[in-house]
Every structure is written in structure tokens, then in C-alpha cells.
Amino acid sequence: LEGVVSTAEVIKTDSAIVQKGHVDLGATVIVEADGEQDEFRIVGSYEANPIKNLISNESPVGQALLGSKVGDIIEVTTPVVKVKYKVLEVRYE
């Protein structure tokens, strides 16, 4: 735990990526796939909780969303499924 805390970084929501509306750590992203909407928050692996829609930046969906912006269509391939998501909204709270 001490190692994790000593290397932790504070996410600054005034960065250039955030200002341009790109997905980065801390973003809440609303996506659409097959006519249904989902909402994810991109977090670090220690905070991840898929039941609460907190997905790790290291997960297949999290990795695919990083750097995307509204209107982008991303494709996510997992061992179980292949899905195309359209990014509808990116916000930081």
C-alpha cells in the first residue's frame, strides 16, 4: 500500500487533453453500442469496479477509449466479444 501511495499521481482536469474533450483517466464516458447506451468512468486499476461502471484504464474497453473524443467509433475485442462503441459524451467531474 505504501508503494502505491508513494507513486500515486493527482489527475489535473485542466490539462490540454481534458480541455480538448479527449478521454483520459478520470473521464466519465457515455457510449452507444447496438442501440444501447452505457456509461463508464475511466479509473486506475486499484479503483476499478465494473459493477459500478468504474473501468480500469488497463482493461480492453478502458484502453480503447483512452484518447478518443465525441463522435469517435472504437472497436473493442475481448476473448468473449467484439464490440463497436460510439463515443457520445466525455465529461470530467
Side-chain angles (χ1 to χ4, degrees), residues 6 9 13 15 26 68 90:
S6 69
E9 293 182 36
T13 58
S15 72
S68 64
V90 177

Side-chain angles (χ1 to χ4, degrees), residues 34-83:
D34 299 326
E36 294 193 23
Q37 290 186 9
D38 280 314
E39 183 174 312
F40 303 112
R41 184 158 181 221
I42 310 299
V43 297
S45 58
Y46 287 104
E47 298 173 277
N49 185 339
I51 293 171
K52 294 182 178 180
N53 290 338
L54 301 173
I55 60 170
S56 168
N57 62 316
E58 297 174 10
S59 71
V61 174
Q63 285 181 353
L65 284 170
L66 288 176
S68 64
K69 61 186 181 310
V70 172
D72 285 354
I73 296 176
I74 59 155
E75 191 170 298
V76 179
T77 303
T78 70
V80 178
V81 70
K82 187 178 201 177
V83 177

